[in-house]
Amino acid sequence: MKKDTSTEDKIREAARQVFLAKGFDGCTSREIANAAGENVALVNYYFRSKSQLFKIIFEAAMDDFILSMVQVFGSDKTLEEKMRIFIEHEYAFLEKHPELPSFILNEMNREEGCTMDHQKYFLKVAETGIFEECFKAQEEGRMRSISLSSIPLLIMSNCHYPVMAKNMLMQLHGMTSTEYDENLNLHKKLVSDMLVNFLFPQSN
Amino acid sequence: MKKDTSTEDKIREAARQVFLAKGFDGCTSREIANAAGENVALVNYYFRSKSQLFKIIFEAAMDDFILSMVQVFGSDKTLEEKMRIFIEHEYAFLEKHPELPSFILNEMNREEGCTMDHQKYFLKVAETGIFEECFKAQEEGRMRSISLSSIPLLIMSNCHYPVMAKNMLMQLHGMTSTEYDENLNLHKKLVSDMLVNFLFPQSN
DNA sequence: TCTTGTTTTAAACAAACGTTTAAAATCCTT
DNA sequence: AAGGATTTTAAACGTTTGTTTAAAACAAGA
């Protein structure tokens, strides 16, 4: 009789949870095994090493992180609508995965640093046609003519940072977690308005 | 004859450098001692424990981090000018201390988490009179009426995130470090314009 | 020079780390 | 039911961790 969840999957899921919460340096093989309710040796039996297991988790997390952003681009809305939907979508996604931005950024800053398959992600974005759409909108004056690398940076800054800095800002403002989340919901609207007004100046 | 730099200071400075680069979990006592060119035992001789030493470094870093932001508020410029100077100031500060935002945020997200003396920092900000200045500007309609916690969040998002995400975005865009820094310099102007236009709508 | 207190050293400590081993338990096919 | 492969276990491996020890080196006053 097959078990409902395989040991391999249990370890993978426990590893994901532990790695995302504490980072590679911040946890041990035994901690992952305990979280999975399994023996330490099974971690290496199924995944050869802590590093190997981490690599799998990191790459899956990077997929989640990047691809969650891409899927909006393909729709048949105007750029301005896409922008608003994108931000809405990103805030909703981060509500479910609040540890993701910190995890990705930290692990990429590590010395034995993680790398990403940037071709893979670049292609995913390119094939939505969003680049051409932006160039056209910039030529026609519908969109502010700024570097195409600044646009995602503006969006990510205003979507990711508020989630990443939650613990610090809660303490700084003396807020509870739910208070912060409520403010975040209001902040989302500000971000949306600000970015749309800035990138599509005629839309006022 | 007194040495030019005391052993205690050498260890403190090495610790700052190593902790900021790798975080508490990412380094060892021996690594710090080696960076200082001293014996491992001296770390505990002067600072009792790795944790104790870390606490000192973290609190100094938090001071740098927060107080670098506060000192602009006290000047006698208009709010709009202060905003621009503040952003300029913050980008310049982060050019010298690019690891600081990641360090602070990560360590505050740790389980055995660091805390901050939020009263201390709140008072530092409050005594510049910036709160009253903002309230007045909002009442008079010179400044957009949004939550006073959203304003620093907007600024920090757009100043800190671009520095924190450098390694990731470099890889994603296939850029070199200097290319990224050049873009960042252009981005700074965008951020400045965007935030000023958003917060002081009449200034167009 | 001897004494006292401070600083530095090499060595050791127990605990925890990632990983491996070898035997036990379980599974699946015949 | 027997067999061989797979999965799981407890124990151990050698390192590295943070920390402590005890002796050595040094400084400075009497």
Side-chain angles (χ1 to χ4, degrees):
Chain A
M1 190 188 63
K2 271 276 170 185
K3 281 169 286 183
D4 47 344
T5 312
S6 77
T7 303
E8 191 176 338
D9 286 341
K10 282 205 285 184
I11 293 175
R12 205 195 319 272
E13 277 155 33
R16 191 191 139 91
Q17 183 195 310
V18 174
F19 276 141
L20 262 78
K22 308 199 174 190
F24 182 83
D25 288 332
C27 72
T28 70
S29 301
R30 282 168 179 82
E31 195 174 352
I32 293 172
N34 289 345
E38 301 288 350
N39 191 290
V40 206
L42 292 176
V43 173
N44 282 24
Y45 175 74
Y46 283 107
F47 299 98
R48 299 183 56 88
S49 71
K50 186 193 178 190
S51 309
Q52 187 69 27
L53 173 54
F54 179 81
K55 203 178 167 194
I56 290 169
I57 301 301
F58 177 81
E59 280 168 12
M62 181 65 90
D63 269 8
D64 287 353
F65 183 65
I66 300 284
L67 300 184
S68 81
M69 299 196 262
V70 173
Q71 65 196 59
V72 174
F73 297 158
S75 62
D76 61 344
K77 313 276 184 175
T78 66
L79 265 183
E80 188 178 327
E81 283 169 330
K82 276 183 189 174
M83 169 78 71
R84 288 199 181 273
I85 294 171
F86 184 91
I87 293 166
E88 201 73 42
H89 189 268
E90 196 64 7
Y91 268 82
F93 177 78
L94 290 173
E95 206 166 329
K96 282 194 226 130
H97 308 279
E99 344 75 3
L100 209 40
S102 277
F103 174 73
I104 297 285
L105 263 47
N106 286 337
E107 299 301 337
M108 294 205 67
N109 284 339
R110 273 231 320 279
E111 211 162 11
E112 323 80 19
C114 303
T115 58
M116 66 161 85
D117 184 350
H118 89 278
Q119 295 244 25
K120 166 180 168 187
Y121 297 119
F122 184 84
L123 281 179
K124 286 271 180 191
V125 177
E127 71 193 12
T128 65
I130 189 76
F131 292 140
E132 294 81 357
E133 203 178 343
C134 286
F135 277 130
K136 188 154 164 262
Q138 288 186 333
E139 275 176 21
E140 294 173 358
R142 287 181 287 117
M143 188 186 202
R144 186 183 292 262
S145 283
I146 65 177
S147 158
L148 280 202
S149 69
S150 267
I151 297 172
L153 181 50
L154 283 174
I155 301 174
M156 291 166 83
S157 295
N158 288 285
C159 293
H160 296 173
Y161 188 89
V163 176
M164 297 172 69
K166 175 173 176 177
N167 280 335
M168 187 197 62
L169 292 174
M170 273 172 57
Q171 283 208 35
L172 196 58
H173 292 123
M175 286 179 178
T176 65
S177 178
T178 51
E179 281 170 351
Y180 189 85
D181 291 341
E182 286 165 14
N183 269 31
L184 203 55
N185 206 46
L186 300 176
H187 192 78
K188 176 178 65 179
K189 177 79 169 78
L190 295 184
V191 165
S192 198
D193 288 346
M194 179 181 73
L195 289 177
V196 167
N197 288 348
F198 182 69
L199 291 175
F200 309 100
Q202 90 298 353
S203 73
N204 298 5
Chain B
M1 190 187 65
K2 272 276 172 184
K3 280 169 287 183
D4 48 343
T5 311
S6 76
T7 304
E8 190 177 339
D9 286 342
K10 282 204 285 184
I11 293 174
R12 205 195 319 274
E13 276 154 35
R16 191 192 140 90
Q17 183 194 311
V18 174
F19 277 141
L20 262 79
K22 308 199 176 190
F24 183 82
D25 288 332
C27 73
T28 70
S29 302
R30 280 167 179 81
E31 195 174 352
I32 293 172
N34 288 345
E38 301 289 350
N39 192 290
V40 208
L42 291 176
V43 172
N44 281 25
Y45 175 74
Y46 284 107
F47 300 97
R48 298 182 57 87
S49 70
K50 186 191 179 190
S51 309
Q52 187 68 28
L53 173 54
F54 179 81
K55 205 178 166 194
I56 290 169
I57 301 300
F58 177 81
E59 280 167 14
M62 181 66 89
D63 270 7
D64 287 353
F65 184 65
I66 301 284
L67 300 184
S68 82
M69 299 196 262
V70 173
Q71 64 195 62
V72 174
F73 296 159
S75 61
D76 61 344
K77 313 278 185 175
T78 67
L79 265 183
E80 187 179 328
E81 281 169 332
K82 276 184 190 172
M83 169 77 73
R84 288 197 182 274
I85 294 172
F86 184 90
I87 293 167
E88 201 73 41
H89 190 270
E90 196 64 9
Y91 268 82
F93 177 78
L94 291 173
E95 206 167 327
K96 282 193 227 132
H97 308 279
E99 344 74 2
L100 209 41
S102 277
F103 174 73
I104 296 285
L105 263 47
N106 286 336
E107 299 300 336
M108 294 205 68
N109 284 338
R110 275 232 319 278
E111 209 161 11
E112 324 81 21
C114 304
T115 58
M116 66 160 86
D117 183 350
H118 89 279
Q119 295 243 27
K120 166 180 167 185
Y121 297 119
F122 184 83
L123 281 179
K124 286 272 181 191
V125 177
E127 70 193 13
T128 65
I130 190 78
F131 292 140
E132 294 80 358
E133 203 177 344
C134 286
F135 278 130
K136 187 154 164 264
Q138 288 186 332
E139 276 177 19
E140 294 172 0
R142 287 181 288 117
M143 188 188 203
R144 186 182 292 263
S145 284
I146 65 177
S147 159
L148 280 201
S149 69
S150 267
I151 297 172
L153 181 50
L154 283 174
I155 300 174
M156 291 165 84
S157 295
N158 288 284
C159 293
H160 296 173
Y161 188 89
V163 176
M164 297 172 69
K166 174 173 175 176
N167 279 336
M168 187 196 63
L169 293 174
M170 271 171 57
Q171 282 208 34
L172 196 58
H173 292 121
M175 286 178 178
T176 66
S177 178
T178 51
E179 280 170 351
Y180 189 85
D181 290 343
E182 286 166 13
N183 269 30
L184 203 55
N185 206 45
L186 301 176
H187 192 78
K188 176 179 64 178
K189 177 81 171 79
L190 295 184
V191 164
S192 200
D193 289 346
M194 179 181 73
L195 289 177
V196 167
N197 288 347
F198 182 68
L199 291 174
F200 310 99
Q202 90 298 350
S203 73
N204 298 5

